Amino acid sequence: MSRAQAKYRELVAGAPVETTVAEEHGHGEHEVHAVPVWLLAAVLAVLLVLTVITVLVTLVDLGPLNIVVALGIAVIKSALVVLYFMHLRWDSPFNSIVLLCALLFVAIFLAFAMIDTAEYRPLVDEAVKTIAK
């Protein structure tokens, strides 16, 4: 409830109306994002096409690039989901910054994990050869 609404209710009721701190600072109201159905259907169609492309890429042997292409398509699909289905496109820029910082930290942690796995790769290859015999 906004301050103007609280004042109006006070005048009508003749007594003070209790409001919460969140309502006094404008956090009690939420803006509704009416997304057209055609836009959601278009995003869904793009997601389905990208899924088919991901499956088709697995049929082609690109060597080590297979994982790069699959992860690239997955990043595009996740960006579409976050932007349109989770309404981040219409949200405050602060939430976008928080999401990007979280993704940056995940990327840093994954990079450290990849460096660590490269250290133990010879041991893993040797164990696989032993099991395969």
Side-chain angles (χ1 to χ4, degrees):
M1 169 183 341
S2 69
R3 287 184 188 179
Q5 289 172 331
K7 290 290 183 188
Y8 175 74
R9 288 186 181 178
E10 282 180 28
L11 290 173
V12 172
V17 176
E18 302 233 357
T19 59
T20 64
V21 175
E23 290 172 342
E24 289 176 4
H25 293 287
H27 298 293
E29 300 173 10
H30 295 289
E31 186 178 329
V32 176
H33 304 288
V35 182
V37 175
W38 66 266
L39 181 62
L40 294 176
V43 172
L44 176 64
V46 170
L47 289 172
L48 291 173
V49 167
L50 287 172
T51 301
V52 169
I53 291 172
T54 304
V55 172
L56 293 176
V57 165
T58 61
L59 301 175
V60 179
D61 185 24
L62 300 174
L65 287 180
N66 272 356
I67 191 74
V68 173
V69 172
L71 286 175
I73 294 172
V75 166
I76 293 170
K77 287 169 54 178
S78 64
L80 287 172
V81 168
V82 167
L83 286 173
Y84 291 98
F85 292 120
M86 295 176 68
H87 301 269
L88 191 61
R89 180 174 182 223
W90 298 280
D91 210 349
S92 70
F94 176 74
N95 290 336
S96 299
I97 292 170
V98 169
L99 176 69
L100 290 175
C101 288
L103 292 175
L104 174 67
F105 281 110
V106 167
I108 290 171
F109 294 142
L110 286 175
F112 281 124
M114 298 295 261
I115 291 170
D116 191 43
T117 56
E119 181 70 28
Y120 296 104
R121 184 66 186 195
L123 297 173
V124 171
D125 289 340
E126 184 180 321
V128 168
K129 288 179 186 177
T130 304
I131 292 173
K133 289 182 181 179

